[in-house]
Amino acid sequence: MELDKKGRSIEPVIFASPYEVGNIVVDCFGYPSENVGVKPSRLILTRRYCEMHPNLILNYLRGHQGLPFEDSLIIVAGHNNVRQMYDFAAISGDLGSHIRNSKDSLVHTVAQLANSKSGQLYFPFLDNLVKGRITIEDIDKVKDDDLNYYRLLVRTRLDYAARLLPPAKDTPLEMNALTEMLEKKGKQVFVGEINALHTVENPAIRFKILDPLTPEELYYLVVLSEDEIYTSSYLGVYDRIFQRMKAPYGDSLLMQVHGDYFRKFIKMAAAYNKLEHFLGTMDKQNAGTVMKSFVIHLENADEEEAVDVADSYSSIVEKNPALARYILSEVKWNYDKNVAAANKKGTIIYNLLQTLFESADTTKKVDLSAQLGIPPVYTIDRSALTDDSGRVIQQVFFYGDKDKDGQKLLHRFHVPFPAQTACKAGMEDRREPAVGDDQLDPRQTRDHLCQQTPARRRRSRRQSPEGAERLPLRPSPQAHHRDPPRT
């Protein structure tokens, strides 16, 4: 007020005040006569507001061109949201021109990709492009070759996974874009073909497309195609991973991929009856370390990994009760640790896991409906399946009217039933697989952990590897191929 009375600018006051205060003060000195500092003060407030809300910058600049600090705001916006910058970099007009002419290496590179016909093929390598570790020309050499482009994606993923670990702990730009493209190419080029050839009895023909792939490249085919890969396709890829390793040890494989997706790999191995083989490829101490790492530090992981642990238990408890007891003991220990540390996320996760796992033991009589508000996960009460007459009616689909798979399965299905049992069988051309498991609505963390059908769950794209600190493994002696840990 005193400054205004003396005819001096209020700009220094606005500069020193929070945005909310400054905004009110400027409005007060707009009339009856405007203070000399109102216009420069409004510029201060505009810049401050944009920096507080970087996602709004580009849309704001599109309608307010010519700001003296436009280039600086473009850089802020670009480093905040690369995908948004990619979209705006291709537009015409002054804003698009300013983005393309930016001196900032990230903004300039994104603009270059956005204005290229192959921009989406370059985008997964953005971090290495910005850092000068790869060039557009390097990508051009392989982008039209499915095999070599996939190999470059895997090499880059391994590079990024290693950089996420100590001591670097570097978070590469647009790692999600890399993961999405790696998954897309793996499914389209490789998994799709071996799935389509599932009726071919000669594995040399069916899996021929995998012949050039390394163990690491095969590993990513498995962990990124969970919702599409057929059982026989998985088993074929899994076997080839170990056949192509110079030293076929599971702990060595996990170290080669820097622990990336190791929980997903273990979960799938359990589901496809390969976990005992996997743990048996390493010595007993390292097998124990791997399974302990599978359970610990979930409070620092994303929700998807906790779901992988939860999903795996039903397979493990059925086939390896001793290992299941070991996992449950680790869950209990981690629950106590998180309670003591007042870690809310960890406490919730491990409490859910402990409750779910203990419900698999019918002697404990755990009531999931009472404790978690969900139906039983490992059993279904017969009363929930019967109709008004007390009958349980099943509708079973067998696929394969154009090959012999479905017909063979249908025949095997009939064998246990008496000849007089009424059975209605029909053939239909169906494109969608039948879902036999009960589904739970994916609501909060509790519900995600309790979902029973992985194929219905789309993976989150933030795929951070589990670090070397979580897999403190020793190289397995070549003479040792032992069983999983027994407790």
Side-chain angles (χ1 to χ4, degrees):
M1 185 71 73
E2 293 300 321
L3 291 174
D4 188 57
K5 288 180 179 179
K6 296 176 182 179
R8 295 167 59 184
S9 172
I10 63 172
E11 183 180 356
V13 175
I14 303 304
F15 184 82
S17 302
Y19 170 80
E20 294 78 8
V21 174
N23 197 36
I24 295 173
V25 171
V26 166
D27 286 343
C28 292
F29 287 91
Y31 9 57
S33 60
E34 187 175 274
N35 181 277
V36 66
V38 166
K39 288 183 179 179
S41 294
R42 289 197 186 281
L43 288 176
I44 292 173
L45 292 174
T46 296
R47 181 166 190 165
R48 191 166 293 168
Y49 181 83
C50 287
E51 290 172 346
M52 290 168 56
H53 305 280
N55 278 330
L56 304 179
I57 289 176
L58 295 178
N59 277 311
Y60 182 82
L61 292 179
R62 198 172 192 176
H64 300 80
Q65 298 176 11
L67 294 175
F69 41 80
E70 181 175 5
D71 291 340
S72 297
L73 288 181
I74 287 174
I75 294 172
V76 172
H79 285 258
N80 173 72
N81 191 329
V82 173
R83 294 290 184 109
Q84 187 184 55
M85 178 61 66
Y86 183 92
D87 293 337
F88 274 86
I91 66 174
S92 57
D94 290 343
L95 178 57
S97 178
H98 282 146
I99 292 174
R100 291 187 288 274
N101 292 324
S102 175
K103 302 300 182 183
D104 181 80
S105 59
L106 172 60
V107 175
H108 179 75
T109 302
V110 171
Q112 185 180 7
L113 302 186
N115 287 274
S116 167
K117 293 181 180 179
S118 302
Q120 293 297 326
L121 294 176
Y122 300 138
F123 202 66
F125 310 100
L126 177 63
D127 194 83
N128 280 348
L129 284 167
V130 173
K131 289 181 169 66
R133 298 161 66 108
I134 195 173
T135 66
I136 295 292
E137 290 72 24
D138 293 329
I139 303 172
D140 282 338
K141 294 176 183 177
V142 301
K143 66 180 176 64
D144 297 321
D145 182 327
D146 286 334
L147 172 62
N148 286 314
Y149 185 73
Y150 177 77
R151 283 180 158 170
L152 179 60
L153 289 168
V154 171
R155 288 199 302 272
T156 307
R157 175 74 200 194
L158 290 171
D159 172 41
Y160 287 5
R163 286 162 52 188
L164 283 167
L165 305 179
K169 289 190 175 182
D170 177 27
T171 303
L173 292 166
E174 286 302 314
M175 193 166 182
N176 287 347
L178 172 66
T179 304
E180 291 166 4
M181 185 62 75
L182 182 56
E183 176 180 345
K184 177 182 176 181
K185 289 296 181 180
K187 289 178 178 179
Q188 286 182 348
V189 179
F190 302 101
V191 174
E193 177 160 336
I194 61 177
N195 279 352
L197 296 176
H198 70 280
T199 59
V200 176
E201 295 183 0
N202 187 342
I205 297 175
R206 179 180 179 184
F207 295 99
K208 182 175 179 57
I209 194 170
L210 305 183
D211 287 350
L213 300 185
T214 66
E216 295 87 350
E217 291 162 354
L218 293 170
Y219 177 92
Y220 281 104
L221 280 187
V222 165
V223 296
L224 291 178
S225 64
E226 179 188 14
D227 57 347
E228 289 190 16
I229 194 167
Y230 291 179
T231 299
S232 56
S233 297
Y234 169 86
L235 295 175
V237 177
Y238 177 92
D239 290 343
R240 282 160 177 75
I241 290 174
F242 290 93
Q243 290 168 4
R244 294 178 191 176
M245 293 181 68
K246 293 181 180 179
Y249 309 127
D251 47 350
S252 298
L253 175 66
L254 295 183
M255 288 190 286
Q256 287 170 14
V257 298
H258 311 292
D260 199 14
Y261 287 104
F262 87 98
R263 288 193 176 100
K264 180 70 67 184
F265 186 81
I266 291 174
K267 174 259 188 90
M268 294 181 70
Y272 290 104
N273 298 325
K274 283 295 186 178
L275 183 57
E276 188 163 358
H277 171 271
F278 174 68
L279 295 175
T281 63
M282 60 192 91
D283 68 40
K284 187 173 182 179
Q285 181 177 345
N286 278 2
T289 300
V290 166
M291 292 312 299
K292 184 171 185 175
S293 300
F294 180 63
V295 177
I296 65 175
H297 297 312
L298 291 175
E299 67 273 18
N300 300 324
D302 63 71
E303 193 176 279
E304 169 83 15
E305 295 180 68
V307 173
D308 286 339
V309 174
D311 279 347
S312 70
Y313 192 76
S314 60
S315 300
I316 294 173
V317 74
E318 179 183 348
K319 303 176 183 72
N320 195 331
L323 180 57
R325 289 194 296 271
Y326 174 76
I327 291 175
L328 180 56
S329 69
E330 287 296 322
V331 167
K332 291 178 177 178
W333 187 90
N334 279 275
Y335 171 75
D336 293 338
K337 184 193 77 169
N338 279 274
V339 169
N343 187 311
K344 184 176 180 181
K345 178 183 177 182
T347 300
I348 293 173
I349 288 174
Y350 285 108
N351 177 58
L352 288 171
L353 291 176
Q354 181 175 335
T355 304
L356 288 170
F357 294 172
E358 288 182 339
S359 74
D361 185 350
T362 55
T363 64
K364 293 185 180 294
K365 300 186 183 301
V366 175
D367 187 345
L368 291 181
S369 298
Q371 295 192 33
L372 301 180
I374 63 173
V377 171
Y378 301 107
T379 60
I380 300 178
D381 191 272
R382 190 177 188 279
S383 63
L385 302 175
T386 56
D387 62 8
D388 295 341
S389 303
R391 299 177 303 171
V392 177
I393 300 175
Q394 298 183 44
Q395 187 175 25
V396 185
F397 297 93
F398 298 89
Y399 300 103
D401 58 325
K402 296 179 181 178
D403 54 53
K404 297 181 179 180
D405 283 1
Q407 298 171 34
K408 291 177 181 178
L409 290 171
L410 177 61
H411 175 73
R412 292 173 191 166
F413 181 77
H414 280 162
V415 171
F417 296 98
Q420 67 271 23
T421 300
C423 181
K424 179 181 179 181
M427 291 296 222
E428 297 181 26
D429 180 16
R430 295 177 62 90
R431 302 298 180 187
E432 295 293 330
V435 178
D437 298 301
D438 289 343
Q439 300 296 315
L440 301 176
D441 292 335
R443 291 174 291 219
Q444 303 300 324
T445 300
R446 178 191 68 194
D447 304 294
H448 280 292
L449 287 174
C450 300
Q451 289 185 57
Q452 300 175 64
T453 308
R456 281 296 187 107
R457 184 175 57 252
R458 298 297 300 174
R459 290 185 297 282
S460 60
R461 290 296 175 262
R462 191 199 70 79
Q463 306 287 4
S464 62
E466 299 309 309
E469 74 275 19
R470 304 185 191 179
L471 290 169
L473 303 174
R474 303 177 299 112
S476 292
Q478 294 190 10
H480 290 80
H481 292 262
R482 300 183 181 174
D483 293 333
R486 297 288 189 265
T487 59

